[in-house]
């Protein structure tokens, strides 16, 4: 089986330079498929570059495949990775990456579309009464 070409959108998932998700695009050393490697911790985690949606997520759960959530960072177009614990952190409208297993067909080959830059929530000052603020100032 011939390895696939590098997906053109892989550079959006694994950007050069500032990359809080610590994702690097490279070929798997065993099967030579393109993968996204999380190099942020002491152990490298390898993911298929296809993005899982709600239907694909159900398939990953049934197959017992590990996955991680793509978490947009507010106010930027950057992402972070969050590994869900059980059912905590799993949302049907989220985007996920499935763990890579050599010589297995990826669950998804959907391209990654970076989140639009979201406006950061503005802080409107303390939500305290005048009495609470004066009690704090005198203490």
């Amino acid at each position: 089986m011939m390895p696939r070409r590098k997906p053109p959108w892989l550079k959006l998932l694994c950007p050069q330079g500032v990359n809080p998700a610590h994702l690097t695009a490279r070929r798997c050393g065993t099967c030579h498929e393109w993968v996204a490697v999380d190099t942020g911790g002491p152990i490298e985690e390898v993911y298929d570059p296809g993005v899982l949606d709600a239907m694909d997520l159900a398939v990953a759960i049934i197959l017992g495949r590990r996955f991680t959530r793509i978490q947009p960072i507010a106010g930027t177009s950057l992402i972070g990775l969050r590994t869900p614990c059980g059912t905590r952190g799993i949302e049907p409208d989220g985007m996920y990456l499935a763990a890579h297993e050599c010589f297995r067909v990826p669950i998804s080959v959907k391209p990654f579309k970076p989140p639009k830059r979201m406006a950061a929530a503005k802080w409107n000052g303390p939500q305290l009464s005048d009495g609470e603020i004066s009690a704090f100032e005198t203490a």
Side-chain angles (χ1 to χ4, degrees):
M1 184 170 137
M2 196 116 164
R4 294 188 195 125
R5 290 184 176 173
K6 182 177 182 179
W9 48 265
L10 195 54
K11 64 183 172 197
L12 300 173
L13 182 64
C14 307
Q16 298 287 338
V18 177
N19 185 352
H22 303 287
L23 285 175
T24 305
R26 64 178 179 215
R27 287 196 181 268
C28 176
T30 306
C31 64
H32 305 291
E33 291 291 333
W34 282 99
V35 293
V37 181
D38 180 9
T39 58
I43 298 173
E44 290 186 345
E45 304 221 9
V46 183
Y47 300 102
D48 289 328
V51 175
L52 305 177
D53 60 10
M55 294 301 289
D56 299 324
L57 191 58
V59 172
I61 292 170
I62 290 169
L63 293 176
R65 186 94 59 104
R66 288 183 310 104
F67 54 89
T68 190
R69 182 183 171 115
I70 298 172
Q71 186 72 42
I73 298 173
T76 69
S77 60
L78 302 173
I79 61 166
L81 297 178
R82 303 285 180 260
T83 302
C85 180
T87 57
R88 292 189 78 147
I90 297 176
E91 294 181 15
D93 61 342
M95 294 186 296
Y96 299 86
L97 293 175
H100 175 71
E101 292 183 5
C102 292
F103 304 109
R104 296 245 174 125
V105 176
I107 294 173
S108 173
V109 291
K110 293 179 184 113
F112 172 72
K113 294 177 187 158
K116 293 191 167 110
R117 189 177 186 132
M118 299 180 307
K122 291 188 176 181
W123 187 58
N124 295 329
Q127 303 297 321
L128 303 171
S129 68
D130 292 334
E132 290 173 326
I133 292 174
S134 66
F136 176 77
E137 290 174 342
T138 58

